[in-house]
Amino acid sequence: MVISPLNNARFPVPLEWGEPPGAAAVPAARRLVTAVVRDWAVALSDGAIQDVELCASELIANALVHTGERCTVTVRRRAGRLRVEVADRCPDLPERERDAESTGGRGLLLVEALADAWGWHPAGVGKVVWFEFLETAEAPCPTHGWGTAYGLRALREVA
């Protein structure tokens, strides 16, 4: 978070952290994603924020389970969109399981059903899997009621 010189206006910037493998990693990471979304005052309904949390959970769990290694989680906000990216070091393509008899593999189907967009791209030796949610309305002024902010659209594009 970037704080203004007067310490009264906060502007979102991409936030990125590494998540180590382990049983506690997924719940902790999804809570952090939700906390970031709420702190940035992203214009999403409570239901949409729960959907963001669920989608983040699925991508983070996939990365940790399929690699057994650390993954990197990035949260971005730009031009009325919230984007969550999960990077891992596994070159295997993400798969959407459609077999009714399968006991797993439905996470990406869930992400596809809930998010406004999702996808993946290669990154180094691995890949980045991402999803986006569109904001439902103009977000509240980042000055939190203290003064006026101008040019917010330009600031979002820079962030």
Side-chain angles (χ1 to χ4, degrees), residues 5-83:
L6 299 176
N7 202 28
N8 64 0
R10 302 180 313 184
F11 303 100
V13 295
L15 181 63
E16 180 176 291
W17 69 92
E19 200 58 55
V26 175
R30 78 170 173 246
R31 283 191 299 270
L32 183 52
V33 168
T34 303
V36 168
V37 170
R38 291 188 190 284
D39 186 60
W40 287 355
V42 177
L44 294 173
S45 68
D46 286 339
I49 291 173
Q50 290 173 350
D51 291 346
V52 167
E53 183 177 28
L54 183 55
C55 290
S57 240
E58 291 297 333
L59 294 191
I60 295 163
N62 282 351
L64 295 177
V65 166
H66 294 294
T67 67
E69 297 180 10
R70 172 182 219 87
C71 68
T72 302
V73 180
T74 306
V75 182
R76 303 176 189 280
R77 182 180 182 198
R78 195 170 19 189
R81 294 177 174 267
L82 175 77
R83 182 177 178 125

Side-chain angles (χ1 to χ4, degrees), residues 88-135:
D88 64 46
R89 295 177 42 83
C90 179
D92 297 340
L93 304 180
E95 292 185 37
R96 296 174 296 173
E97 185 64 56
R98 296 197 187 270
D99 180 9
E101 301 300 315
S102 177
T103 58
R106 291 183 180 82
L108 289 177
L109 290 173
L110 189 61
V111 171
E112 184 173 353
L114 296 175
D116 290 305
W118 81 277
W120 70 275
H121 58 84
V125 298
K127 66 185 168 305
V128 173
V129 183
W130 57 268
F131 65 85
E132 290 184 346
F133 278 76
L134 297 174
E135 293 188 44

